[in-house]
Amino acid sequence: MGLKEQLTEDMRAAMKARDEVVTGTLRMALAAVGVAEVAGKAKRELSDDEVLAVLAKEAKKRREAEVAFADAGRAEQAAKERAEEEVLARYLPKQLSDTELVELVTQTLAAGGFSGMGVMGPAMKAVQAAVAGRAEGGKVSAEVRRQLAA
């Protein structure tokens, strides 16, 4: 069973259980997947990796919205965004801890022979491939920049 089918099954189960947060979140996620499928020249079925990318993007939107609502003093709306992000997190790969990220970046830079800020682009490409969606791009970029500058 593919990830999209799993999302659909879980949404149906949440509907039967009358779990509004999970139902709404999965409905939104499936809508985002549907939009991604029809984007471009021809409608096509997304692979599981592409569906994961869409879910990661949606989870990031929820985290950013939570911070914005919290900063604006809207705690109830921030809690709703946090709950939605937690539902999406169930389908995403386990995120790397800061220590694991530092180790992974160090190993990848050493293996590729990257040094100096002039190779930031190729270094980021190599590290992003090694990270494979298990850390946010901003955190990865900051760590790569820190290690290349050292």
Side-chain angles (χ1 to χ4, degrees), residues 4-58:
K4 183 178 172 185
E5 291 80 18
Q6 182 65 46
L7 290 170
T8 305
E9 288 296 317
D10 291 352
M11 183 185 69
R12 287 184 183 137
M15 288 171 78
K16 289 178 183 174
R18 300 196 188 286
D19 188 338
E20 293 178 18
V21 173
V22 174
T23 301
T25 303
L26 294 181
R27 190 173 278 151
M28 170 274 311
L30 286 167
V33 169
V35 167
E37 286 178 336
V38 298
K41 295 182 180 182
K43 184 178 191 308
R44 64 185 182 87
E45 193 76 20
L46 295 182
S47 69
D48 281 354
D49 289 340
E50 292 169 319
V51 172
L52 272 177
V54 170
L55 292 179
K57 186 176 177 182
E58 291 298 319

mmCIF file of all heavy atoms in Angstrom, residues 4-58:
data_model
loop_
_atom_site.group_PDB
_atom_site.id
_atom_site.type_symbol
_atom_site.label_atom_id
_atom_site.label_comp_id
_atom_site.label_asym_id
_atom_site.label_seq_id
_atom_site.Cartn_x
_atom_site.Cartn_y
_atom_site.Cartn_z
ATOM 1 N N LYS A 4 -0.056 7.437 -0.242
ATOM 2 C CA LYS A 4 -1.307 8.148 -0.523
ATOM 3 C C LYS A 4 -2.501 7.288 -0.106
ATOM 4 O O LYS A 4 -3.461 7.789 0.493
ATOM 5 C CB LYS A 4 -1.386 8.486 -2.011
ATOM 6 C CG LYS A 4 -2.616 9.293 -2.363
ATOM 7 C CD LYS A 4 -2.633 9.643 -3.836
ATOM 8 C CE LYS A 4 -3.953 10.288 -4.212
ATOM 9 N NZ LYS A 4 -4.067 10.527 -5.642
ATOM 10 N N GLU A 5 -2.442 6.002 -0.396
ATOM 11 C CA GLU A 5 -3.529 5.101 0.003
ATOM 12 C C GLU A 5 -3.623 4.996 1.523
ATOM 13 O O GLU A 5 -4.715 4.924 2.080
ATOM 14 C CB GLU A 5 -3.334 3.705 -0.608
ATOM 15 C CG GLU A 5 -3.514 3.667 -2.114
ATOM 16 C CD GLU A 5 -2.295 4.159 -2.893
ATOM 17 O OE1 GLU A 5 -1.175 4.211 -2.320
ATOM 18 O OE2 GLU A 5 -2.470 4.523 -4.069
ATOM 19 N N GLN A 6 -2.457 5.015 2.184
ATOM 20 C CA GLN A 6 -2.438 4.973 3.655
ATOM 21 C C GLN A 6 -3.100 6.215 4.233
ATOM 22 O O GLN A 6 -3.875 6.136 5.187
ATOM 23 C CB GLN A 6 -0.996 4.854 4.165
ATOM 24 C CG GLN A 6 -0.885 4.754 5.667
ATOM 25 C CD GLN A 6 -1.498 3.488 6.214
ATOM 26 O OE1 GLN A 6 -1.267 2.412 5.686
ATOM 27 N NE2 GLN A 6 -2.288 3.603 7.256
ATOM 28 N N LEU A 7 -2.814 7.369 3.640
ATOM 29 C CA LEU A 7 -3.442 8.615 4.088
ATOM 30 C C LEU A 7 -4.961 8.538 3.936
ATOM 31 O O LEU A 7 -5.709 8.946 4.829
ATOM 32 C CB LEU A 7 -2.903 9.805 3.292
ATOM 33 C CG LEU A 7 -1.455 10.218 3.554
ATOM 34 C CD1 LEU A 7 -1.000 11.239 2.515
ATOM 35 C CD2 LEU A 7 -1.298 10.768 4.946
ATOM 36 N N THR A 8 -5.403 8.000 2.801
ATOM 37 C CA THR A 8 -6.839 7.878 2.544
ATOM 38 C C THR A 8 -7.502 6.946 3.553
ATOM 39 O O THR A 8 -8.568 7.263 4.103
ATOM 40 C CB THR A 8 -7.080 7.377 1.106
ATOM 41 O OG1 THR A 8 -6.415 8.260 0.199
ATOM 42 C CG2 THR A 8 -8.548 7.325 0.775
ATOM 43 N N GLU A 9 -6.877 5.794 3.801
ATOM 44 C CA GLU A 9 -7.422 4.842 4.774
ATOM 45 C C GLU A 9 -7.489 5.455 6.169
ATOM 46 O O GLU A 9 -8.490 5.299 6.876
ATOM 47 C CB GLU A 9 -6.565 3.567 4.802
ATOM 48 C CG GLU A 9 -6.712 2.700 3.577
ATOM 49 C CD GLU A 9 -8.118 2.143 3.417
ATOM 50 O OE1 GLU A 9 -8.703 1.709 4.428
ATOM 51 O OE2 GLU A 9 -8.622 2.172 2.286
ATOM 52 N N ASP A 10 -6.421 6.149 6.563
ATOM 53 C CA ASP A 10 -6.390 6.765 7.887
ATOM 54 C C ASP A 10 -7.436 7.874 8.006
ATOM 55 O O ASP A 10 -8.034 8.063 9.064
ATOM 56 C CB ASP A 10 -4.998 7.315 8.193
ATOM 57 C CG ASP A 10 -3.966 6.209 8.398
ATOM 58 O OD1 ASP A 10 -4.364 5.019 8.447
ATOM 59 O OD2 ASP A 10 -2.772 6.529 8.494
ATOM 60 N N MET A 11 -7.660 8.608 6.899
ATOM 61 C CA MET A 11 -8.679 9.658 6.919
ATOM 62 C C MET A 11 -10.067 9.040 7.106
ATOM 63 O O MET A 11 -10.874 9.540 7.890
ATOM 64 C CB MET A 11 -8.648 10.483 5.632
ATOM 65 C CG MET A 11 -9.643 11.637 5.662
ATOM 66 S SD MET A 11 -9.748 12.557 4.136
ATOM 67 C CE MET A 11 -10.526 11.361 3.066
ATOM 68 N N ARG A 12 -10.324 7.951 6.412
ATOM 69 C CA ARG A 12 -11.626 7.274 6.564
ATOM 70 C C ARG A 12 -11.823 6.785 7.990
ATOM 71 O O ARG A 12 -12.914 6.922 8.556
ATOM 72 C CB ARG A 12 -11.730 6.112 5.583
ATOM 73 C CG ARG A 12 -11.924 6.566 4.158
ATOM 74 C CD ARG A 12 -12.120 5.390 3.223
ATOM 75 N NE ARG A 12 -12.237 5.862 1.859
ATOM 76 C CZ ARG A 12 -11.650 5.306 0.819
ATOM 77 N NH1 ARG A 12 -10.907 4.227 0.974
ATOM 78 N NH2 ARG A 12 -11.799 5.811 -0.381
ATOM 79 N N ALA A 13 -10.772 6.213 8.577
ATOM 80 C CA ALA A 13 -10.860 5.735 9.957
ATOM 81 C C ALA A 13 -11.114 6.904 10.914
ATOM 82 O O ALA A 13 -11.915 6.786 11.850
ATOM 83 C CB ALA A 13 -9.576 5.009 10.343
ATOM 84 N N ALA A 14 -10.460 8.036 10.674
ATOM 85 C CA ALA A 14 -10.664 9.211 11.523
ATOM 86 C C ALA A 14 -12.074 9.757 11.364
ATOM 87 O O ALA A 14 -12.671 10.230 12.338
ATOM 88 C CB ALA A 14 -9.633 10.288 11.177
ATOM 89 N N MET A 15 -12.613 9.683 10.150
ATOM 90 C CA MET A 15 -13.987 10.141 9.934
ATOM 91 C C MET A 15 -14.963 9.274 10.721
ATOM 92 O O MET A 15 -15.888 9.788 11.357
ATOM 93 C CB MET A 15 -14.330 10.095 8.439
ATOM 94 C CG MET A 15 -13.632 11.172 7.628
ATOM 95 S SD MET A 15 -13.828 10.953 5.857
ATOM 96 C CE MET A 15 -15.488 11.567 5.643
ATOM 97 N N LYS A 16 -14.733 7.966 10.690
ATOM 98 C CA LYS A 16 -15.609 7.053 11.429
ATOM 99 C C LYS A 16 -15.499 7.281 12.926
ATOM 100 O O LYS A 16 -16.476 7.141 13.654
ATOM 101 C CB LYS A 16 -15.265 5.600 11.086
ATOM 102 C CG LYS A 16 -15.677 5.217 9.680
ATOM 103 C CD LYS A 16 -15.279 3.796 9.356
ATOM 104 C CE LYS A 16 -15.653 3.468 7.914
ATOM 105 N NZ LYS A 16 -15.158 2.149 7.504
ATOM 106 N N ALA A 17 -14.297 7.626 13.387
ATOM 107 C CA ALA A 17 -14.075 7.879 14.809
ATOM 108 C C ALA A 17 -14.467 9.300 15.201
ATOM 109 O O ALA A 17 -14.376 9.671 16.366
ATOM 110 C CB ALA A 17 -12.606 7.636 15.152
ATOM 111 N N ARG A 18 -14.886 10.088 14.223
ATOM 112 C CA ARG A 18 -15.286 11.490 14.423
ATOM 113 C C ARG A 18 -14.155 12.330 15.030
ATOM 114 O O ARG A 18 -14.388 13.195 15.883
ATOM 115 C CB ARG A 18 -16.545 11.592 15.265
ATOM 116 C CG ARG A 18 -17.742 10.893 14.644
ATOM 117 C CD ARG A 18 -19.037 11.339 15.280
ATOM 118 N NE ARG A 18 -20.185 10.567 14.852
ATOM 119 C CZ ARG A 18 -20.778 10.654 13.677
ATOM 120 N NH1 ARG A 18 -20.309 11.462 12.760
ATOM 121 N NH2 ARG A 18 -21.847 9.926 13.398
ATOM 122 N N ASP A 19 -12.941 12.057 14.577
ATOM 123 C CA ASP A 19 -11.765 12.819 15.010
ATOM 124 C C ASP A 19 -11.571 13.960 14.015
ATOM 125 O O ASP A 19 -11.009 13.782 12.938
ATOM 126 C CB ASP A 19 -10.531 11.918 15.050
ATOM 127 C CG ASP A 19 -9.332 12.602 15.670
ATOM 128 O OD1 ASP A 19 -9.286 13.851 15.689
ATOM 129 O OD2 ASP A 19 -8.428 11.883 16.131
ATOM 130 N N GLU A 20 -12.059 15.137 14.382
ATOM 131 C CA GLU A 20 -12.081 16.266 13.451
ATOM 132 C C GLU A 20 -10.692 16.776 13.090
ATOM 133 O O GLU A 20 -10.446 17.154 11.942
ATOM 134 C CB GLU A 20 -12.917 17.404 14.032
ATOM 135 C CG GLU A 20 -14.394 17.064 14.132
ATOM 136 C CD GLU A 20 -15.206 18.181 14.751
ATOM 137 O OE1 GLU A 20 -14.719 19.325 14.788
ATOM 138 O OE2 GLU A 20 -16.328 17.897 15.185
ATOM 139 N N VAL A 21 -9.765 16.776 14.040
ATOM 140 C CA VAL A 21 -8.417 17.291 13.768
ATOM 141 C C VAL A 21 -7.718 16.403 12.739
ATOM 142 O O VAL A 21 -7.179 16.889 11.743
ATOM 143 C CB VAL A 21 -7.582 17.384 15.064
ATOM 144 C CG1 VAL A 21 -6.141 17.743 14.754
ATOM 145 C CG2 VAL A 21 -8.192 18.397 16.008
ATOM 146 N N VAL A 22 -7.727 15.091 12.972
ATOM 147 C CA VAL A 22 -7.060 14.164 12.058
ATOM 148 C C VAL A 22 -7.756 14.170 10.703
ATOM 149 O O VAL A 22 -7.099 14.224 9.653
ATOM 150 C CB VAL A 22 -7.008 12.735 12.650
ATOM 151 C CG1 VAL A 22 -6.439 11.747 11.648
ATOM 152 C CG2 VAL A 22 -6.191 12.726 13.932
ATOM 153 N N THR A 23 -9.081 14.151 10.701
ATOM 154 C CA THR A 23 -9.832 14.166 9.439
ATOM 155 C C THR A 23 -9.497 15.406 8.623
ATOM 156 O O THR A 23 -9.176 15.317 7.434
ATOM 157 C CB THR A 23 -11.351 14.108 9.703
ATOM 158 O OG1 THR A 23 -11.649 12.926 10.437
ATOM 159 C CG2 THR A 23 -12.129 14.106 8.410
ATOM 160 N N GLY A 24 -9.570 16.557 9.250
ATOM 161 C CA GLY A 24 -9.294 17.807 8.550
ATOM 162 C C GLY A 24 -7.859 17.892 8.048
ATOM 163 O O GLY A 24 -7.600 18.334 6.929
ATOM 164 N N THR A 25 -6.925 17.449 8.875
ATOM 165 C CA THR A 25 -5.511 17.509 8.498
ATOM 166 C C THR A 25 -5.221 16.583 7.330
ATOM 167 O O THR A 25 -4.546 16.974 6.367
ATOM 168 C CB THR A 25 -4.624 17.142 9.700
ATOM 169 O OG1 THR A 25 -4.923 18.025 10.780
ATOM 170 C CG2 THR A 25 -3.155 17.250 9.345
ATOM 171 N N LEU A 26 -5.719 15.359 7.390
ATOM 172 C CA LEU A 26 -5.468 14.406 6.303
ATOM 173 C C LEU A 26 -6.195 14.819 5.025
ATOM 174 O O LEU A 26 -5.685 14.626 3.926
ATOM 175 C CB LEU A 26 -5.848 12.989 6.727
ATOM 176 C CG LEU A 26 -4.986 12.410 7.851
ATOM 177 C CD1 LEU A 26 -5.421 10.994 8.179
ATOM 178 C CD2 LEU A 26 -3.509 12.440 7.483
ATOM 179 N N ARG A 27 -7.366 15.400 5.174
ATOM 180 C CA ARG A 27 -8.094 15.903 4.000
ATOM 181 C C ARG A 27 -7.271 17.003 3.316
ATOM 182 O O ARG A 27 -7.130 17.032 2.100
ATOM 183 C CB ARG A 27 -9.464 16.419 4.435
ATOM 184 C CG ARG A 27 -10.375 16.743 3.277
ATOM 185 C CD ARG A 27 -11.764 17.091 3.762
ATOM 186 N NE ARG A 27 -12.510 15.861 4.012
ATOM 187 C CZ ARG A 27 -13.472 15.721 4.908
ATOM 188 N NH1 ARG A 27 -13.816 16.740 5.667
ATOM 189 N NH2 ARG A 27 -14.104 14.589 5.052
ATOM 190 N N MET A 28 -6.711 17.899 4.133
ATOM 191 C CA MET A 28 -5.866 18.969 3.614
ATOM 192 C C MET A 28 -4.617 18.392 2.942
ATOM 193 O O MET A 28 -4.215 18.832 1.867
ATOM 194 C CB MET A 28 -5.474 19.909 4.764
ATOM 195 C CG MET A 28 -4.409 20.941 4.458
ATOM 196 S SD MET A 28 -2.688 20.403 4.655
ATOM 197 C CE MET A 28 -2.675 19.658 6.248
ATOM 198 N N ALA A 29 -4.005 17.390 3.564
ATOM 199 C CA ALA A 29 -2.805 16.778 3.007
ATOM 200 C C ALA A 29 -3.106 16.101 1.673
ATOM 201 O O ALA A 29 -2.341 16.222 0.707
ATOM 202 C CB ALA A 29 -2.221 15.769 3.993
ATOM 203 N N LEU A 30 -4.218 15.385 1.595
ATOM 204 C CA LEU A 30 -4.596 14.721 0.344
ATOM 205 C C LEU A 30 -4.921 15.743 -0.744
ATOM 206 O O LEU A 30 -4.625 15.516 -1.924
ATOM 207 C CB LEU A 30 -5.770 13.774 0.571
ATOM 208 C CG LEU A 30 -5.403 12.482 1.306
ATOM 209 C CD1 LEU A 30 -6.649 11.749 1.774
ATOM 210 C CD2 LEU A 30 -4.562 11.582 0.412
ATOM 211 N N ALA A 31 -5.489 16.872 -0.360
ATOM 212 C CA ALA A 31 -5.754 17.938 -1.334
ATOM 213 C C ALA A 31 -4.441 18.493 -1.873
ATOM 214 O O ALA A 31 -4.309 18.732 -3.082
ATOM 215 C CB ALA A 31 -6.582 19.047 -0.696
ATOM 216 N N ALA A 32 -3.454 18.671 -1.009
ATOM 217 C CA ALA A 32 -2.148 19.162 -1.440
ATOM 218 C C ALA A 32 -1.470 18.155 -2.374
ATOM 219 O O ALA A 32 -0.842 18.540 -3.367
ATOM 220 C CB ALA A 32 -1.258 19.438 -0.232
ATOM 221 N N VAL A 33 -1.620 16.864 -2.079
ATOM 222 C CA VAL A 33 -1.078 15.831 -2.953
ATOM 223 C C VAL A 33 -1.774 15.881 -4.316
ATOM 224 O O VAL A 33 -1.136 15.800 -5.367
ATOM 225 C CB VAL A 33 -1.216 14.426 -2.317
ATOM 226 C CG1 VAL A 33 -0.910 13.319 -3.313
ATOM 227 C CG2 VAL A 33 -0.310 14.309 -1.098
ATOM 228 N N GLY A 34 -3.091 16.062 -4.298
ATOM 229 C CA GLY A 34 -3.853 16.162 -5.545
ATOM 230 C C GLY A 34 -3.415 17.345 -6.391
ATOM 231 O O GLY A 34 -3.288 17.244 -7.615
ATOM 232 N N VAL A 35 -3.155 18.477 -5.752
ATOM 233 C CA VAL A 35 -2.679 19.661 -6.470
ATOM 234 C C VAL A 35 -1.316 19.375 -7.095
ATOM 235 O O VAL A 35 -1.054 19.740 -8.248
ATOM 236 C CB VAL A 35 -2.611 20.885 -5.522
ATOM 237 C CG1 VAL A 35 -1.836 22.029 -6.147
ATOM 238 C CG2 VAL A 35 -4.002 21.329 -5.134
ATOM 239 N N ALA A 36 -0.455 18.704 -6.351
ATOM 240 C CA ALA A 36 0.871 18.375 -6.875
ATOM 241 C C ALA A 36 0.771 17.404 -8.054
ATOM 242 O O ALA A 36 1.576 17.473 -8.985
ATOM 243 C CB ALA A 36 1.740 17.772 -5.767
ATOM 244 N N GLU A 37 -0.216 16.521 -8.007
ATOM 245 C CA GLU A 37 -0.377 15.550 -9.096
ATOM 246 C C GLU A 37 -0.802 16.210 -10.399
ATOM 247 O O GLU A 37 -0.421 15.752 -11.475
ATOM 248 C CB GLU A 37 -1.394 14.472 -8.711
ATOM 249 C CG GLU A 37 -0.872 13.484 -7.707
ATOM 250 C CD GLU A 37 -1.896 12.452 -7.297
ATOM 251 O OE1 GLU A 37 -3.111 12.706 -7.403
ATOM 252 O OE2 GLU A 37 -1.472 11.373 -6.853
ATOM 253 N N VAL A 38 -1.589 17.257 -10.325
ATOM 254 C CA VAL A 38 -2.062 17.904 -11.554
ATOM 255 C C VAL A 38 -1.179 19.077 -11.971
ATOM 256 O O VAL A 38 -1.397 19.660 -13.025
ATOM 257 C CB VAL A 38 -3.536 18.375 -11.441
ATOM 258 C CG1 VAL A 38 -4.452 17.190 -11.222
ATOM 259 C CG2 VAL A 38 -3.712 19.403 -10.356
ATOM 260 N N ALA A 39 -0.187 19.415 -11.154
ATOM 261 C CA ALA A 39 0.737 20.482 -11.523
ATOM 262 C C ALA A 39 1.617 20.004 -12.670
ATOM 263 O O ALA A 39 2.010 18.842 -12.736
ATOM 264 C CB ALA A 39 1.594 20.878 -10.330
ATOM 265 N N GLY A 40 1.917 20.882 -13.577
ATOM 266 C CA GLY A 40 2.757 20.501 -14.705
ATOM 267 C C GLY A 40 1.923 20.223 -15.940
ATOM 268 O O GLY A 40 0.759 20.610 -16.037
ATOM 269 N N LYS A 41 2.521 19.521 -16.882
ATOM 270 C CA LYS A 41 1.874 19.312 -18.177
ATOM 271 C C LYS A 41 0.815 18.220 -18.166
ATOM 272 O O LYS A 41 -0.187 18.319 -18.853
ATOM 273 C CB LYS A 41 2.931 18.986 -19.231
ATOM 274 C CG LYS A 41 3.868 20.144 -19.476
ATOM 275 C CD LYS A 41 4.868 19.824 -20.549
ATOM 276 C CE LYS A 41 5.790 21.033 -20.749
ATOM 277 N NZ LYS A 41 6.749 20.811 -21.796
ATOM 278 N N ALA A 42 1.069 17.156 -17.435
ATOM 279 C CA ALA A 42 0.124 16.033 -17.458
ATOM 280 C C ALA A 42 -0.138 15.540 -16.041
ATOM 281 O O ALA A 42 0.743 15.547 -15.189
ATOM 282 C CB ALA A 42 0.691 14.897 -18.301
ATOM 283 N N LYS A 43 -1.359 15.091 -15.809
ATOM 284 C CA LYS A 43 -1.713 14.528 -14.501
ATOM 285 C C LYS A 43 -0.982 13.199 -14.348
ATOM 286 O O LYS A 43 -0.939 12.389 -15.271
ATOM 287 C CB LYS A 43 -3.218 14.306 -14.407
ATOM 288 C CG LYS A 43 -3.667 13.818 -13.046
ATOM 289 C CD LYS A 43 -5.174 13.670 -13.003
ATOM 290 C CE LYS A 43 -5.757 13.440 -11.660
ATOM 291 N NZ LYS A 43 -5.304 12.436 -10.820
ATOM 292 N N ARG A 44 -0.386 13.000 -13.181
ATOM 293 C CA ARG A 44 0.323 11.749 -12.935
ATOM 294 C C ARG A 44 0.239 11.389 -11.461
ATOM 295 O O ARG A 44 -0.014 12.251 -10.620
ATOM 296 C CB ARG A 44 1.783 11.857 -13.364
ATOM 297 C CG ARG A 44 2.568 12.870 -12.570
ATOM 298 C CD ARG A 44 3.987 13.045 -13.096
ATOM 299 N NE ARG A 44 4.713 13.999 -12.280
ATOM 300 C CZ ARG A 44 5.381 13.693 -11.186
ATOM 301 N NH1 ARG A 44 5.428 12.454 -10.757
ATOM 302 N NH2 ARG A 44 6.011 14.620 -10.494
ATOM 303 N N GLU A 45 0.446 10.136 -11.171
ATOM 304 C CA GLU A 45 0.439 9.633 -9.806
ATOM 305 C C GLU A 45 1.800 9.937 -9.175
ATOM 306 O O GLU A 45 2.842 9.683 -9.782
ATOM 307 C CB GLU A 45 0.189 8.122 -9.825
ATOM 308 C CG GLU A 45 -0.154 7.523 -8.495
ATOM 309 C CD GLU A 45 -1.589 7.800 -8.063
ATOM 310 O OE1 GLU A 45 -2.431 8.123 -8.921
ATOM 311 O OE2 GLU A 45 -1.837 7.707 -6.863
ATOM 312 N N LEU A 46 1.811 10.507 -7.964
ATOM 313 C CA LEU A 46 3.066 10.808 -7.289
ATOM 314 C C LEU A 46 3.641 9.555 -6.644
ATOM 315 O O LEU A 46 2.907 8.693 -6.163
ATOM 316 C CB LEU A 46 2.851 11.863 -6.200
ATOM 317 C CG LEU A 46 2.423 13.260 -6.630
ATOM 318 C CD1 LEU A 46 2.309 14.168 -5.406
ATOM 319 C CD2 LEU A 46 3.367 13.855 -7.629
ATOM 320 N N SER A 47 4.973 9.474 -6.628
ATOM 321 C CA SER A 47 5.635 8.375 -5.926
ATOM 322 C C SER A 47 5.551 8.650 -4.424
ATOM 323 O O SER A 47 5.222 9.763 -3.991
ATOM 324 C CB SER A 47 7.098 8.285 -6.358
ATOM 325 O OG SER A 47 7.815 9.399 -5.862
ATOM 326 N N ASP A 48 5.873 7.656 -3.613
ATOM 327 C CA ASP A 48 5.837 7.834 -2.162
ATOM 328 C C ASP A 48 6.808 8.927 -1.718
ATOM 329 O O ASP A 48 6.508 9.690 -0.802
ATOM 330 C CB ASP A 48 6.157 6.523 -1.445
ATOM 331 C CG ASP A 48 4.965 5.582 -1.398
ATOM 332 O OD1 ASP A 48 3.864 6.002 -1.818
ATOM 333 O OD2 ASP A 48 5.127 4.440 -0.942
ATOM 334 N N ASP A 49 7.982 9.011 -2.370
ATOM 335 C CA ASP A 49 8.945 10.052 -2.016
ATOM 336 C C ASP A 49 8.390 11.441 -2.315
ATOM 337 O O ASP A 49 8.597 12.385 -1.548
ATOM 338 C CB ASP A 49 10.262 9.847 -2.768
ATOM 339 C CG ASP A 49 11.040 8.650 -2.251
ATOM 340 O OD1 ASP A 49 10.780 8.208 -1.110
ATOM 341 O OD2 ASP A 49 11.913 8.151 -2.991
ATOM 342 N N GLU A 50 7.681 11.569 -3.428
ATOM 343 C CA GLU A 50 7.080 12.859 -3.779
ATOM 344 C C GLU A 50 5.954 13.213 -2.814
ATOM 345 O O GLU A 50 5.789 14.381 -2.436
ATOM 346 C CB GLU A 50 6.574 12.834 -5.222
ATOM 347 C CG GLU A 50 7.694 12.759 -6.250
ATOM 348 C CD GLU A 50 7.195 12.469 -7.651
ATOM 349 O OE1 GLU A 50 6.278 11.622 -7.804
ATOM 350 O OE2 GLU A 50 7.728 13.072 -8.598
ATOM 351 N N VAL A 51 5.179 12.213 -2.396
ATOM 352 C CA VAL A 51 4.120 12.449 -1.409
ATOM 353 C C VAL A 51 4.745 12.881 -0.083
ATOM 354 O O VAL A 51 4.257 13.804 0.575
ATOM 355 C CB VAL A 51 3.229 11.199 -1.225
ATOM 356 C CG1 VAL A 51 2.253 11.387 -0.067
ATOM 357 C CG2 VAL A 51 2.469 10.890 -2.507
ATOM 358 N N LEU A 52 5.853 12.248 0.305
ATOM 359 C CA LEU A 52 6.563 12.642 1.530
ATOM 360 C C LEU A 52 7.026 14.092 1.442
ATOM 361 O O LEU A 52 6.951 14.832 2.426
ATOM 362 C CB LEU A 52 7.772 11.740 1.770
ATOM 363 C CG LEU A 52 7.526 10.467 2.552
ATOM 364 C CD1 LEU A 52 8.800 9.647 2.642
ATOM 365 C CD2 LEU A 52 6.989 10.759 3.925
ATOM 366 N N ALA A 53 7.501 14.506 0.273
ATOM 367 C CA ALA A 53 7.949 15.887 0.091
ATOM 368 C C ALA A 53 6.785 16.853 0.276
ATOM 369 O O ALA A 53 6.934 17.911 0.904
ATOM 370 C CB ALA A 53 8.586 16.063 -1.282
ATOM 371 N N VAL A 54 5.618 16.494 -0.251
ATOM 372 C CA VAL A 54 4.423 17.345 -0.091
ATOM 373 C C VAL A 54 4.044 17.415 1.392
ATOM 374 O O VAL A 54 3.753 18.497 1.912
ATOM 375 C CB VAL A 54 3.247 16.810 -0.940
ATOM 376 C CG1 VAL A 54 1.949 17.536 -0.600
ATOM 377 C CG2 VAL A 54 3.558 16.944 -2.429
ATOM 378 N N LEU A 55 4.074 16.278 2.079
ATOM 379 C CA LEU A 55 3.731 16.264 3.504
ATOM 380 C C LEU A 55 4.724 17.082 4.324
ATOM 381 O O LEU A 55 4.331 17.795 5.260
ATOM 382 C CB LEU A 55 3.674 14.829 4.028
ATOM 383 C CG LEU A 55 2.540 13.959 3.492
ATOM 384 C CD1 LEU A 55 2.636 12.556 4.080
ATOM 385 C CD2 LEU A 55 1.188 14.576 3.787
ATOM 386 N N ALA A 56 6.002 16.997 3.974
ATOM 387 C CA ALA A 56 7.017 17.778 4.687
ATOM 388 C C ALA A 56 6.780 19.270 4.486
ATOM 389 O O ALA A 56 6.908 20.064 5.428
ATOM 390 C CB ALA A 56 8.413 17.395 4.200
ATOM 391 N N LYS A 57 6.410 19.648 3.279
ATOM 392 C CA LYS A 57 6.124 21.056 2.985
ATOM 393 C C LYS A 57 4.914 21.539 3.788
ATOM 394 O O LYS A 57 4.923 22.633 4.355
ATOM 395 C CB LYS A 57 5.864 21.201 1.484
ATOM 396 C CG LYS A 57 5.705 22.606 1.012
ATOM 397 C CD LYS A 57 5.560 22.617 -0.511
ATOM 398 C CE LYS A 57 5.331 24.004 -1.040
ATOM 399 N NZ LYS A 57 5.153 24.024 -2.495
ATOM 400 N N GLU A 58 3.883 20.702 3.863
ATOM 401 C CA GLU A 58 2.690 21.060 4.624
ATOM 402 C C GLU A 58 2.998 21.153 6.117
ATOM 403 O O GLU A 58 2.502 22.040 6.813
ATOM 404 C CB GLU A 58 1.564 20.055 4.371
ATOM 405 C CG GLU A 58 1.004 20.115 2.968
ATOM 406 C CD GLU A 58 0.365 21.446 2.623
ATOM 407 O OE1 GLU A 58 -0.340 22.022 3.474
ATOM 408 O OE2 GLU A 58 0.584 21.923 1.493
#
